[in-house]
Amino acid sequence: MCITGFNGGMMRLLLVEDDDLLADGLQRALRAEGYTVDCIDRGDLVMPALQDGGFELVLLDLGLPGLDGMAALKLLRQKDKQIPVIIISARDALEDRISGLDGGADDYLVKPFSAAELIARVRARLRRRETPGTEVVQLGELAIDPERFTVSRNGEPVSLSRREMGVLLQLVRHRGRVLTRDQLEQGLYGWNEDVESNALEVHIHHLRKKLGSGLIRTVRGVGYSLSGEME
Amino acid sequence: MCITGFNGGMMRLLLVEDDDLLADGLQRALRAEGYTVDCIDRGDLVMPALQDGGFELVLLDLGLPGLDGMAALKLLRQKDKQIPVIIISARDALEDRISGLDGGADDYLVKPFSAAELIARVRARLRRRETPGTEVVQLGELAIDPERFTVSRNGEPVSLSRREMGVLLQLVRHRGRVLTRDQLEQGLYGWNEDVESNALEVHIHHLRKKLGSGLIRTVRGVGYSLSGEME
DNA sequence: GGGTGCCTTAAAGCAACCTTAAGGCGTCGT
DNA sequence: ACGACGCCTTAAGGTTGCTTTAAGGCACCC
């Protein structure tokens, strides 16, 4: 369940798996790829976890305590049709795979599988998002390279700290959408850390100072978003 | 699954497969599901075929005459990053699957596979193409985008405060129905707070001033509703 | 005409946000 | 190991502008 301090707004995955050993191994492998992974071990915790927001993809085991994986998937799809779901299950029967996919999963991987293949399939799903996390995003006078963690403005490189980059990446990834303060903080810290301060505001302030004040729009009482008019 | 109107959203698939027998069987199975299938048997025909347009998805074998499947995929992705590609191949080695997925494929199915599973995976891919757009509500001269927290009138952006947006969204969500003052206030503030003032009226007033006076209809003694039709 | 409910306006109150600055913590180089 | 440096957080004070309050006027119905 642990979340190490190593996340700078990288992509956040939700792993639902009750086998502690497997969960631990997968978390390790995924984190090595740069993903932020939060893990839960009960099916009935899926919806509360997603409520917090900030997840980009769900890895879902089927045999779960609390609520079966398929039931959890059904609930999930009633609320959120967008987020990609990859089922990881030992059930290898054809009808399991088909009902999983038709139940709203985007992929179905049968245990045992190689971590490398899982990661490749995660990549394939995440590639399809609004703004691919691995490509350079051109935004007005800015060029943002999520892979190399660099940003340049009018060709001049700008140096951003980890947290600043984390905030920026989340905003870029959901370009145009308004992200609440809570969502942004969850993305930076994970959900077990609690921030009772205005740290986020300070990071926003620094970003505006470095990247121009027109970039980030404040929606008072709601959150922040990238101003959409520059392209 | 009724057959009515089954040609309205006809999906056209491109099958790239050089084994005549398999190709024939797959075409049959896919057509039975209502897809339109065109089949080619050479890798170097993929690009010309896609040039014609109209395809929603590609089923790609790897061992192909003319041009290898992986090479064809690379060419394809240079031109078109959007169209889903499912690799169907007898190559079951881990590195094949990974390089296929990382090469831009959306799924990788190892032969032999069941037609039912292929169809389920095709469905899972095509599901993602329906209504990719946001849930922008178009209402007469107004366009309301809840995710971006923006409203525009005749294309001109209008700036709304949080409370104003809250009232408007509730009315839009129950378009046509009359919402009582209590319902609207409850939606704004929650259950435990009670407002002993005319704040709601003020917000309504501001909305009318910004969005036009014909939008919100007062039902005296009851509440408010969106006027059913605006010209 | 009187009562009731809604509209309009303006001003006070206040929460959210911005800005600045200082201290803590970890990192890196010497 | 020690010090220098940069980053993150915390805190305090200032600013903005939304929200509410309140009061008076208008419209509707009996």
Side-chain angles (χ1 to χ4, degrees):
Chain A
M1 268 30 89
C2 47
I3 304 175
T4 58
F6 150 89
N7 42 24
M10 295 301 298
M11 269 161 292
R12 189 147 170 251
L13 316 184
L14 179 64
L15 174 60
V16 190
E17 169 65 64
D18 63 328
D19 180 336
D20 281 349
L21 196 63
L22 179 59
D24 192 57
L26 289 181
Q27 277 192 68
R28 232 179 272 279
L30 290 164
R31 283 218 210 90
E33 289 293 309
Y35 299 109
T36 302
V37 185
D38 288 329
C39 185
I40 56 180
D41 56 4
R42 298 177 55 87
D44 51 359
L45 295 180
V46 171
M47 292 314 293
L50 289 177
Q51 218 76 35
D52 292 341
F55 288 104
E56 305 284 341
L57 184 143
V58 177
L59 297 167
L60 182 66
D61 191 12
L62 288 190
L64 288 170
L67 185 69
D68 181 72
M70 283 305 296
L73 176 60
K74 193 174 173 187
L75 276 180
L76 188 161
R77 279 290 177 244
Q78 282 171 6
K79 277 265 182 180
D80 186 342
K81 294 190 167 49
Q82 289 304 312
I83 189 168
V85 174
I86 300 180
I87 290 180
I88 50 178
S89 170
R91 300 181 195 165
D92 64 347
L94 180 59
E95 46 268 28
D96 286 325
R97 278 176 284 168
I98 289 174
S99 65
L101 291 164
D102 281 347
D106 295 275
D107 206 340
Y108 192 113
L109 202 48
V110 175
K111 297 179 189 175
F113 51 78
S114 118
E117 176 164 9
L118 175 63
I119 286 164
R121 287 183 182 270
V122 166
R123 263 201 297 267
R125 290 288 79 74
L126 291 178
R127 208 159 47 208
R128 285 295 182 196
R129 286 161 328 142
E130 319 174 14
T131 23
T134 55
E135 286 172 19
V136 178
V137 177
Q138 196 74 34
L139 201 67
E141 55 190 12
L142 296 180
I144 302 163
D145 187 335
E147 209 152 67
R148 312 181 59 187
F149 257 69
T150 58
V151 175
S152 61
R153 183 182 185 188
N154 293 324
E156 294 297 312
V158 180
S159 138
L160 293 189
S161 76
R162 193 173 35 138
R163 292 271 130 103
E164 288 158 6
M165 195 65 182
V167 173
L168 181 60
L169 279 182
Q170 288 188 79
L171 290 172
V172 166
R173 203 163 289 140
H174 303 101
R175 197 182 324 182
R177 279 245 298 282
V178 175
L179 298 181
T180 66
R181 165 203 246 66
D182 282 344
Q183 285 176 315
L184 288 168
E185 286 175 349
Q186 299 271 356
L188 280 188
Y189 307 112
W191 60 31
N192 40 5
E193 261 177 84
D194 211 27
V195 183
E196 196 53 44
S197 87
N198 62 350
L200 178 63
E201 293 170 17
V202 177
H203 295 312
I204 294 275
H205 176 59
H206 289 151
L207 278 173
R208 292 212 252 239
K209 208 150 70 177
K210 290 179 182 175
L211 304 178
S213 57
L215 180 71
I216 300 174
R217 178 174 65 114
T218 300
V219 182
R220 187 173 253 263
V222 184
Y224 300 90
S225 79
L226 284 199
S227 60
E229 82 265 1
M230 39 196 326
E231 310 235 338
Chain B
M1 282 300 191
C2 37
I3 311 174
T4 11
F6 125 115
N7 252 354
M10 185 165 52
M11 295 281 188
R12 192 148 166 250
L13 315 185
L14 179 64
L15 173 61
V16 190
E17 170 62 64
D18 64 329
D19 179 335
D20 282 349
L21 196 62
L22 179 59
D24 191 56
L26 288 181
Q27 276 193 68
R28 232 179 273 277
L30 289 164
R31 291 224 184 89
E33 288 293 310
Y35 298 110
T36 301
V37 184
D38 289 331
C39 185
I40 56 179
D41 57 2
R42 298 176 55 86
D44 51 358
L45 295 181
V46 171
M47 290 315 293
L50 289 177
Q51 219 77 36
D52 293 342
F55 287 105
E56 305 283 340
L57 184 143
V58 177
L59 297 166
L60 182 66
D61 190 13
L62 288 188
L64 288 169
L67 185 68
D68 180 72
M70 283 303 297
L73 176 60
K74 193 173 174 186
L75 276 179
L76 188 162
R77 279 289 176 244
Q78 282 172 5
K79 275 270 181 178
D80 186 343
K81 292 191 167 44
Q82 286 308 310
I83 190 168
V85 173
I86 300 179
I87 290 180
I88 50 178
S89 168
R91 300 182 195 164
D92 64 347
L94 180 61
E95 48 268 27
D96 287 325
R97 279 176 283 166
I98 289 174
S99 64
L101 291 165
D102 281 346
D106 294 278
D107 206 341
Y108 192 113
L109 203 48
V110 174
K111 297 180 192 175
F113 50 80
S114 120
E117 177 165 7
L118 175 64
I119 287 164
R121 287 184 182 269
V122 166
R123 263 202 296 268
R125 292 287 81 73
L126 291 178
R127 205 160 48 210
R128 286 295 182 201
R129 302 209 117 236
E130 305 163 9
T131 44
T134 50
E135 307 173 17
V136 180
V137 178
Q138 196 75 34
L139 197 69
E141 57 190 10
L142 296 180
I144 303 163
D145 188 333
E147 291 206 324
R148 297 174 127 84
F149 234 79
T150 58
V151 174
S152 61
R153 183 182 183 189
N154 293 323
E156 291 299 309
V158 180
S159 144
L160 294 189
S161 78
R162 180 167 55 127
R163 293 272 131 102
E164 288 158 6
M165 193 69 172
V167 173
L168 180 61
L169 281 181
Q170 285 189 79
L171 290 171
V172 166
R173 263 174 213 136
H174 304 94
R175 207 174 319 176
R177 283 234 305 281
V178 177
L179 297 180
T180 66
R181 167 194 304 265
D182 283 342
Q183 285 176 314
L184 287 168
E185 286 176 347
Q186 185 172 291
L188 280 188
Y189 306 108
W191 291 262
N192 31 16
E193 283 180 64
D194 59 324
V195 183
E196 200 55 44
S197 86
N198 62 349
L200 178 62
E201 294 170 15
V202 178
H203 295 313
I204 294 277
H205 174 57
H206 289 150
L207 278 174
R208 292 212 254 240
K209 206 151 71 176
K210 290 178 180 175
L211 304 178
S213 56
L215 180 71
I216 300 174
R217 183 169 58 106
T218 301
V219 182
R220 196 184 171 84
V222 185
Y224 300 90
S225 79
L226 283 198
S227 57
E229 49 199 283
M230 330 198 15
E231 70 284 3

